[in-house]
């Protein structure tokens, strides 16, 4: 090993060790199970596949094809839908494929606004811009962090979008899809739902059931509440043959060449595990986020939507302007080994200096924390907000985390979640 190789290895080891001692609360992350992680270091990582199983452009895909077909079947079963494509290599790539399949340059798509929590790929400077589609934003009620139903119906009827897109990165409550269903039918638009943040909740019967509420196509990453690899997935229900073909073509050759076969296998493994564990995991995740919201609020931290129980997902939006704003608080929390991100809240105009932070509990739930630990976590966060020295709080964070290093809700339950910190 040369000096550079040793240096890189040591940095990665240091990161692994650090996270073992952290409370990770980024709402878009999670821990894979040991079985899923094993797939990432398999020979699949070194191979190539293009196209669909059985119709590849390379030889050597006998087992790859079998695993991919199994993953597609398991995805359809878990989400009770008629179509799955497990090849997108990320949520954004899945979104690009939907745009490629269902919209032409110049078409109009309705979406939420970035300041209200929409994903960056809906922006002019994101995937929407790359496809040159126009976007029009739904009216939003700040008080309940959700779409204004009457205003959205009015907007949809006026704009008549080719595609109506839903889904957020600050995703606290289910969007009112049922209430919009008649309008979708009236204008005949394709209904697209970006489920990245809430995929695991949907798999576990929490949040809501988009395919039973008028959604045609669901795009997603697979590593947030759904605790799989950094990868993506597309699901569809009641699509016609042309629409299914359009998605397949959009994924390859549209937005991928090979599709990261090791990650696809890790996704397959996660689907197998979620079949068994999704319900309990999703239910505990939502219990935890609501308990954390309550405990923070009781400590004078302004969690949004107290009258609605704060959230029905894994995430909380917190206004920390009275403690110095999102940038300062997120940095102070990192100094205390509590990892989250600054986040815009609806009235913010600056993404760099927003008034909020976003907190997610899916990873803490994955290592076995329950409601009583959420009270403990709230206390640690509120101490940092109230300007106690982060290095002092850090010692208590490490102490709490010491009892929660083992992974739950998977076949290898009880193995070390952060077990690669020593690296072989
Ligand atoms: N940027 C991610 C998030 O944190 O929500 C989604 O891709």
């Amino acid at each position: 090993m040369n000096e550079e190789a040793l240096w890189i290895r040591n940095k990665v080891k240091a990161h692994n060790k650090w996270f073992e001692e952290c409370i990770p609360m980024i709402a878009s992350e999670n821990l894979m199970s040991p079985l899923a992680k094993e797939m990432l270091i398999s020979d699949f990582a070194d191979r190539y596949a293009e196209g669909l199983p059985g119709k590849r452009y390379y030889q050597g895909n006998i087992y790859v094809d079998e695993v991919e077909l199994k993953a597609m079947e398991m995805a359809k079963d878990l989400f009770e839908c008629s179509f799955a494509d497990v090849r997108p290599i990320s949520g954004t790539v899945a979104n690009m494929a939907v745009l490629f399949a269902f919209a032409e340059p110049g078409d109009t798509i309705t979406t939420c606004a970035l300041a209200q929590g929409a994903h960056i790929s809906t922006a002019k400077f994101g995937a929407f811009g790359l496809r040159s589609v126009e976007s029009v934003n739904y009216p939003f009620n700040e008080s309940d962090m959700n779409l204004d139903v009457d205003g959205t119906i009015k907007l949809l009827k006026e704009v008549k979008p080719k595609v109506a897109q839903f889904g957020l990165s600050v995703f606290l409550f289910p969007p009112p899809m049922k209430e919009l269903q008649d309008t979708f039918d009236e204008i005949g638009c394709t209904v697209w739902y970006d489920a990245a943040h809430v995929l695991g909740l949907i798999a576990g019967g929490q949040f809501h059931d988009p395919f039973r509420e008028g959604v045609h196509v669901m795009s997603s990453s697979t590593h947030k509440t759904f605790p799989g690899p950094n990868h993506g997935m597309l699901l569809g229900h009641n699509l016609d043959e042309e629409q299914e073909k359009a998605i397949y073509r959009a994924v390859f050759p549209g937005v991928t060449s090979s599709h990261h076969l090791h990650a696809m296998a890790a996704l397959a493994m996660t689907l197998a595990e979620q079949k068994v564990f999704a319900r309990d995991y999703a239910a505990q995740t939502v219990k935890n986020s609501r308990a954390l919201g309550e405990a923070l609020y009781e400590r004078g931290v302004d969690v949004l939507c107290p009258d609605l129980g704060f959230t029905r997902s894994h995430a909380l939006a917190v206004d920390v302007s009275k403690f110095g704003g999102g940038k300062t608080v997120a940095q102070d929390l990192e100094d205390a080994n509590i990892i989250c991100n600054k986040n815009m809240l609806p009235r913010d105009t600056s993404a760099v200096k927003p008034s909020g932070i976003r907190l997610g509990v899916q990873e803490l739930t994955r290592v076995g924390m329950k409601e009583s630990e959420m009270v403990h976590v709230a206390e640690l966060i509120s101490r940092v907000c109230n300007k106690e020295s982060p290095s002092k709080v850090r010692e208590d964070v490490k102490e709490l985390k010491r009892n929660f290093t083992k992974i739950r809700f998977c076949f290898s339950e009880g193995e070390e979640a952060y077990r690669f910190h020593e690296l072989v």
Side-chain angles (χ1 to χ4, degrees):
M1 217 185 287
N2 66 8
E3 207 177 296
E4 286 81 3
L6 190 63
W7 184 91
I8 292 163
R9 209 156 178 261
N10 284 339
K11 289 292 167 194
V12 173
K13 277 183 177 182
H15 170 91
N16 288 359
K17 180 84 183 114
W18 178 37
F19 265 73
E20 192 176 342
E21 296 177 342
C22 277
I23 292 187
M25 302 191 76
I26 303 278
S28 50
E29 298 178 347
N30 213 325
L31 294 164
M32 255 180 291
S33 77
L35 280 177
K37 241 180 188 172
E38 192 180 67
M39 300 300 107
L40 296 186
I41 53 167
S42 69
D43 188 72
F44 274 39
D46 303 315
R47 304 300 154 202
Y48 234 82
E50 283 183 344
L52 286 164
K55 295 181 191 158
R56 303 291 197 194
Y57 291 84
Y58 295 94
Q59 297 310 124
N61 289 152
I62 296 172
Y63 298 105
V64 171
D65 283 10
E66 289 185 43
V67 172
E68 191 167 319
L69 285 171
K70 186 79 180 164
M72 291 161 80
E73 281 315 307
M74 286 190 294
K76 286 190 273 183
D77 279 355
L78 188 61
F79 295 96
E80 296 177 67
C81 61
S82 54
F83 174 87
D85 189 327
V86 294
R87 296 173 300 165
I89 58 168
S90 74
T92 294
V93 166
N95 285 348
M96 288 165 70
V98 177
L99 289 165
F100 215 160
F102 292 105
E104 299 289 333
D107 284 344
T108 298
I109 300 185
T110 47
T111 65
C112 290
L114 281 191
Q116 293 150 2
H119 188 249
I120 202 83
S121 55
T122 64
K124 254 203 171 2
F125 46 83
F128 273 45
L130 196 65
R131 187 64 172 149
S132 301
V133 295
E134 298 299 323
S135 66
V136 178
N137 297 142
Y138 305 118
F140 195 79
N141 278 333
E142 290 168 26
S143 56
D144 56 9
M145 288 294 278
N146 211 336
L147 302 184
D148 174 285
V149 178
D150 292 341
T152 299
I153 291 173
K154 190 161 168 272
L155 180 105
L156 285 168
K157 287 183 179 176
E158 272 168 22
V159 173
K160 294 193 175 46
K162 187 160 182 189
V163 179
Q165 201 246 19
F166 298 87
L168 294 164
S169 289
V170 183
F171 212 173
L172 307 183
F173 299 101
M177 307 306 288
K178 277 188 201 146
E179 291 90 327
L180 302 176
Q181 233 172 322
D182 287 346
T183 311
F184 298 146
D185 292 343
E186 190 184 317
I187 62 175
C189 58
T190 299
V191 184
W192 165 20
Y193 187 99
D194 179 343
H197 269 266
V198 293
L199 189 71
L201 303 181
I202 293 168
Q206 297 284 323
F207 210 59
H208 69 143
D209 190 359
F211 283 133
R212 261 45 66 189
E213 298 171 17
V215 168
H216 302 114
V217 62
M218 203 146 91
S219 57
S220 193
S221 54
T222 55
H223 49 264
K224 297 180 170 65
T225 51
F226 189 85
N230 262 277
H231 197 70
M233 182 157 66
L234 283 160
L235 301 164
H237 200 45
N238 297 330
L239 299 174
D240 63 34
E241 205 184 323
E242 273 315 302
Q243 290 173 315
E244 294 188 355
K245 277 193 191 155
I247 296 178
Y248 285 146
R249 274 197 307 267
V251 175
F252 174 84
V255 293
T256 63
S257 167
S258 190
H259 47 280
H260 299 186
L261 309 178
H262 54 318
M264 182 277 291
L267 169 57
M269 186 61 82
T270 311
L271 285 161
E273 293 191 310
Q274 284 288 288
K275 185 176 171 178
V276 178
F277 300 100
R279 286 206 165 259
D280 288 347
Y281 176 50
Q284 189 61 50
T285 300
V286 176
K287 278 189 216 163
N288 282 355
S289 58
R290 291 171 76 100
L292 180 68
E294 186 74 47
L296 282 168
Y297 197 70
E298 278 168 5
R299 284 162 179 74
V301 180
D302 295 328
V303 186
L304 269 51
C305 304
D307 298 338
L308 299 170
F310 309 102
T311 185
R312 276 186 54 201
S313 74
H314 61 306
L316 295 170
V318 187
D319 182 347
V320 288
S321 36
K322 72 182 183 198
F323 300 118
K327 185 171 189 279
T328 303
V329 171
Q331 182 59 58
D332 288 348
L333 286 167
E334 184 187 78
D335 293 342
N337 276 10
I338 299 171
I339 312 296
C340 72
N341 61 288
K342 60 178 179 281
N343 217 104
M344 287 174 90
L345 298 180
R347 273 182 217 170
D348 285 333
T349 48
S350 165
V352 189
K353 281 192 164 180
S355 53
I357 56 170
R358 183 185 65 168
L359 299 171
V361 302
Q362 69 292 339
E363 186 169 336
L364 301 183
T365 310
R366 184 85 159 142
V367 291
M369 291 196 190
K370 295 196 169 148
E371 291 92 320
S372 58
E373 282 79 33
M374 293 301 111
V375 176
H376 197 153
V377 171
E379 181 60 24
L380 295 165
I381 292 172
S382 108
R383 283 167 59 192
V384 174
C385 288
N386 286 296
K387 304 297 168 211
E388 191 173 324
S389 149
S391 57
K392 197 160 163 239
V393 178
R394 186 164 64 220
E395 291 315 305
D396 294 335
V397 167
K398 286 186 191 172
E399 183 59 35
L400 171 63
K401 192 63 188 303
R402 211 160 282 148
N403 299 318
F404 294 95
T405 59
K406 294 198 192 317
I407 196 114
R408 308 288 168 198
F409 304 104
C410 58
F411 293 131
S412 36
E413 176 152 315
E415 282 192 38
E416 293 294 329
Y418 306 86
R419 66 184 177 149
F420 295 106
H421 68 269
E422 288 307 336
L423 298 180
V424 281

